[in-house]
Amino acid sequence: MSLPFEKPIDDLEAKITDMRSYAEEQGIDLSEEIGLLERRLEQLKRDTFANITRWQRVQVARIAGRPTGLDYVANVFTDFEELHGDRTLGDDPALVTGLARLGEQTVIVMAQQKGRDTKENILRNFGMMHPSGYRKAMRMFDLADKFRLPIIAMVDTPGAYPGLSAEEQGQAWVISECIQRMSRLKVPAISLVIGEGGSGGALAIAVANRVLILENAIYSVISPESCAAIRWRDSSEAPQAAEALKLTAYDLLDLNVVDRVIDEPLGGAHKEVDATMAIVKSVLLQELGDLLKLDEVSLLEQRRARFRALGRFEEVLEAA
Amino acid sequence: MTLERWFRRKKPTKGDDDSSPVGLWLKCESCNAQIYRKDLVANLYVCPECQHHYQMPVDARLELLLDEGSFEQWSGHIQATDPLEFVDQEAYADKLKAAQEKHHRKDAIVTGSGLLNGLPVALSVMDFFFLGGSMGSVVGEEIARAVERAADEDRAFIAVTASGGARMQEGALSLMQMAKTTVALERLAEKHLPFISLLTDPTTGGTTASFATLGDIIIAEPKALICFAGPRVIQQTIKQELPEGFQRSEFLLEKGMLDDVLERSKLKDKFAAYIRLLSGKVPQVTLEAEHVATL
């Protein structure tokens, strides 16, 4: 999978492949020329991704083939046992939850799951949770507190589902409740934005002690398309809206919205999935190790203070 | 249509033979009745004919809920900084400045303390006329500070909401206000102080999905639009017409999302009753009087 802005990279890669097979067929030595092109390719990749625009990041964050929540569950964790259902309304496939081990430690893992193909996308509602999904998350928070198991939450959603049934079942109520419930956890909680962190639907499982984000993931109050539709009255202005929203990993680090950016392999997580999984695993192990040193009260206070402090404003001298 | 725009109309709303001066007479957007503007204001911005509840300006709301002369303003000491340097067709900084000048306040909220039928309360009132009552860093911080001060001063807290949701010009920082206002409420909860949430037309998006729906008691005014995703967004998603009254107060009461839908004129006395009942005992004075009587 590649994006329009990656075309020069694809072209050069194709050229190298052609040259290799030509050299092989003809039995001639082109290693010097190939080596030269490979160095050029490396440089081109580095330049392309060093100058990537925010809109291009959005595209990388959403690209087909980018590892999904379940890929992380399968490769970063062991002994995964999925647990279903919210005990009230049903089971929301847009949020996968269960028990697993991260290294030696049992954890409760939850992952917003987009589809890896059209069929799964429909099953998973494109990663857009219904109220039932947030109830399932809260059930997992209860389980986590009871058995003193840390929470690891993978965020990847365009947003909470904006539909008729979701509204009837109190989408807003369940999101606020989920935010509150997560903020009250007595155990360590880490949230990792792996793709798209879409608004309140993402935040509901991201009220964590540590909020991490992959280099090419985004986290925003509104999608660039919807923002463009409202502010520019034209959703095709999404690239501009993406710039204005400052929604990339490093933007969010500057704003203290996230605590740490996890670098991805050059070209994005999908280019070298195994390497991505290894980096994520080592970061999660280290972060969790740090949090496990804190007691219940410190964890609660740290999490509360973290979110209480967010925002930018200035004091004015006289009252309005 | 917002009430403000209604008042601002260049051309008077009138019948064919009506020659009333601009703005003096209004046509109710709900029942089409001709209403004398002063009557509407005197009637708490409720149509005297059909009881349609219009959006209420902040000052009128404070007057409605608090005992005369008891309001002390807390908000107004902070202002937005445009952390994203957000520009769409217009710069956020300019828009904000224009709104500040027009509405004579720093942002879309007023907080403060007062007495409600003699009971000590603190409250936050959102101003929908100020950038759609959107919640950015300042609105979130004002609410958090007011809630915490209410807890310190042992006051019940009342949040009056009217908001288009999170302020997108502040990006993810405005999203974070949902979590900030939520964690601030913990102080109030720890002291077992009541939090009453009053949802007015319209309350949507990130405001609905945070502090607004975390009230111990959640009340809405009649026919207010209260939702997470707005009707237009849903229509685009499902591509079908929405049922009559969908996402309105009465519908939400039926779905179990609200404690009650109350007319504006009844709010103050009801709130006083809730606060008294939640305090768990009859007021001290009565107890003592009873004690004396039994001696």
Side-chain angles (χ1 to χ4, degrees):
Chain A
M1 299 297 159
S2 53
L3 295 160
F5 73 90
E6 296 177 294
K7 193 166 183 304
I9 297 174
D10 291 348
D11 291 348
L12 193 53
E13 269 173 349
K15 199 169 165 189
I16 293 170
T17 313
D18 285 352
M19 202 180 263
R20 259 209 200 96
S21 47
Y22 178 76
E24 224 164 88
E25 276 165 27
Q26 304 293 321
I28 50 174
D29 180 19
L30 289 174
S31 57
E32 204 170 305
E33 288 84 348
I34 290 171
L36 191 74
L37 285 181
E38 277 176 336
R39 281 193 294 282
R40 217 156 89 195
L41 176 67
E42 211 40 41
Q43 192 57 45
L44 180 64
K45 277 188 190 170
R46 235 175 273 133
D47 291 348
T48 305
F49 280 88
N51 298 311
I52 187 172
T53 66
R54 291 187 173 89
W55 175 241
Q56 288 165 343
R57 287 264 193 229
V58 173
Q59 293 172 304
V60 177
R62 292 171 177 169
I63 196 168
R66 185 171 171 85
T68 63
L70 278 174
D71 295 316
Y72 290 93
V73 169
N75 294 294
V76 171
F77 300 86
T78 57
D79 305 298
F80 177 61
E81 294 293 342
E82 184 168 1
L83 301 175
H84 290 278
D86 73 347
R87 303 292 189 268
T88 308
L89 286 166
D91 182 43
D92 188 346
L95 184 77
V96 178
T97 63
L99 299 163
R101 283 220 167 78
L102 178 65
E104 302 289 300
Q105 175 70 47
T106 301
V107 298
I108 286 183
V109 60
M110 54 180 69
Q112 287 169 332
Q113 177 64 18
K114 287 185 182 176
R116 285 160 289 197
D117 51 45
T118 310
K119 202 176 149 202
E120 196 192 6
N121 252 325
I122 290 163
L123 170 76
R124 305 283 180 190
N125 197 29
F126 299 83
M128 294 185 286
M129 288 162 66
H130 281 80
S132 172
Y134 295 103
R135 292 203 185 283
K136 180 157 79 168
M138 287 192 272
R139 201 194 126 215
M140 292 298 139
F141 295 148
D142 289 345
L143 199 64
D145 273 344
K146 182 169 179 183
F147 291 94
R148 298 178 191 281
L149 302 174
I151 290 278
I152 312 281
M154 248 86 64
V155 176
D156 193 13
T157 180
Y161 183 59
L164 203 85
S165 58
E167 290 289 317
E168 279 182 351
Q169 293 159 4
Q171 188 70 290
W173 279 253
V174 84
I175 289 172
S176 66
E177 212 183 317
C178 202
I179 291 170
Q180 185 175 60
R181 179 64 190 89
M182 191 171 188
S183 78
R184 288 175 173 172
L185 278 171
K186 295 171 184 164
V187 295
I190 300 172
S191 293
L192 169 62
V193 187
I194 56 172
E196 226 179 332
S199 197
L203 174 66
I205 62 159
V207 190
N209 295 92
R210 294 282 286 171
V211 181
L212 319 176
I213 188 168
L214 286 176
E215 185 187 1
N216 291 308
I218 56 165
Y219 191 9
S220 181
V221 66
I222 188 168
S223 73
E225 289 85 351
S226 301
C227 179
I230 297 168
R231 304 242 64 92
W232 281 264
R233 297 176 201 284
D234 180 0
S235 58
S236 68
E237 297 288 345
Q240 276 208 63
E243 283 301 312
L245 283 167
K246 307 270 192 297
L247 43 57
T248 69
Y250 282 101
D251 289 329
L252 298 163
L253 189 66
D254 285 342
L255 296 168
N256 300 330
V257 169
V258 301
D259 303 300
R260 179 171 179 174
V261 177
I262 303 176
D263 286 334
E264 295 179 26
L266 196 57
H270 56 294
K271 298 282 185 191
E272 291 174 56
V273 175
D274 290 347
T276 305
M277 296 297 153
I279 303 167
V280 167
K281 185 170 184 175
S282 76
V283 172
L284 285 179
L285 278 168
Q286 184 237 310
E287 292 284 350
L288 183 61
D290 291 348
L291 289 177
L292 283 169
K293 290 173 196 149
L294 301 176
D295 65 14
E296 209 176 283
V297 177
S298 313
L299 284 167
L300 245 157
E301 279 176 359
Q302 184 270 335
R303 199 180 311 117
R304 226 200 263 188
R306 183 195 184 281
F307 286 92
R308 177 64 185 84
L310 287 173
R312 295 275 169 91
F313 52 85
E314 61 188 12
E315 305 282 334
V316 287
L317 293 175
E318 81 287 16
Chain B
M1 188 179 7
T2 66
L3 185 65
E4 195 195 37
R5 257 187 280 159
W6 201 45
F7 280 145
R8 262 197 282 133
R9 267 188 200 167
K10 288 275 190 310
K11 285 182 190 156
T13 316
K14 56 188 179 186
D16 293 337
D17 55 350
D18 186 349
S19 58
S20 55
V22 177
L24 209 54
W25 287 89
L26 304 160
K27 187 168 148 189
C28 175
E29 66 176 57
S30 176
C31 71
N32 289 329
Q34 301 284 334
I35 331 162
Y36 190 43
R37 184 180 150 168
K38 274 189 180 164
D39 288 346
L40 181 75
V41 174
N43 199 39
L44 310 172
Y45 296 83
V46 174
C47 172
E49 298 296 323
C50 73
Q51 308 305 312
H52 180 74
H53 283 54
Y54 287 94
Q55 290 168 347
M56 198 177 202
V58 173
D59 292 344
R61 179 69 67 181
L62 292 168
E63 223 172 278
L64 171 77
L65 292 176
L66 297 176
D67 300 348
E68 204 181 334
S70 71
F71 178 64
E72 183 202 330
Q73 187 171 327
W74 292 348
S75 60
H77 301 280
I78 53 174
Q79 63 180 356
T81 57
D82 187 17
L84 269 50
E85 296 174 1
F86 190 101
V87 178
D88 47 65
Q89 290 173 321
E90 199 182 339
Y92 170 48
D94 295 340
K95 248 186 133 171
L96 187 69
K97 206 170 157 220
Q100 287 172 336
E101 278 165 15
K102 187 169 169 207
H103 300 286
H104 308 289
R105 58 178 114 257
K106 294 292 177 200
D107 217 302
I109 195 155
V110 173
T111 70
S113 64
L115 296 171
L116 187 151
N117 287 358
L119 297 164
V121 298
L123 76 183
S124 64
V125 182
M126 296 178 106
D127 184 357
F128 190 77
F129 301 134
F130 190 112
L131 300 183
S134 55
M135 177 162 66
S137 294
V138 171
V139 169
E141 182 69 17
E142 292 281 19
I143 291 169
R145 287 184 183 188
V147 165
E148 287 161 354
R149 187 164 165 189
D152 290 345
E153 297 182 5
D154 290 317
R155 296 173 183 275
F157 192 80
I158 298 165
V160 183
T161 62
S163 171
R167 186 172 296 170
M168 69 182 89
Q169 297 98 324
E170 291 185 26
L173 285 176
S174 54
L175 179 66
M176 294 302 124
Q177 304 312 304
M178 294 169 66
K180 176 156 94 182
T181 52
T182 300
V183 299
L185 286 168
E186 298 297 274
R187 287 263 285 277
L188 209 61
E190 281 159 7
K191 295 193 79 174
H192 306 283
L193 290 161
F195 169 32
I196 299 171
S197 187
L198 173 63
L199 313 178
T200 76
D201 186 55
T203 296
T204 70
T207 300
T208 321
S210 63
F211 71 96
T213 46
L214 291 170
D216 300 306
I217 293 178
I218 307 175
I219 300 299
E221 288 193 328
K223 291 185 184 151
L225 173 73
I226 300 158
C227 60
F228 176 63
R232 251 184 310 167
V233 177
I234 297 173
Q235 241 159 7
Q236 279 166 12
T237 313
I238 62 167
K239 317 258 185 248
Q240 67 189 60
E241 284 299 304
L242 298 174
E244 176 79 19
F246 182 66
Q247 299 179 315
R248 297 282 164 180
S249 308
E250 295 72 15
F251 171 88
L252 293 164
L253 180 66
E254 207 175 286
K255 295 286 170 194
M257 299 300 152
L258 305 171
D259 288 290
D260 215 341
V261 177
L262 295 174
E263 281 170 30
R264 202 165 273 165
S265 58
K266 299 197 170 121
L267 291 172
K268 190 177 181 183
D269 289 344
K270 284 282 193 177
F271 285 5
Y274 300 147
I275 294 167
R276 287 212 169 89
L277 286 165
L278 283 171
S279 75
K281 52 183 186 286
V282 275
Q284 209 59 45
V285 190
T286 318
L287 266 177
E288 277 166 17
E290 266 174 10
H291 183 64
V292 171
T294 54
L295 277 176

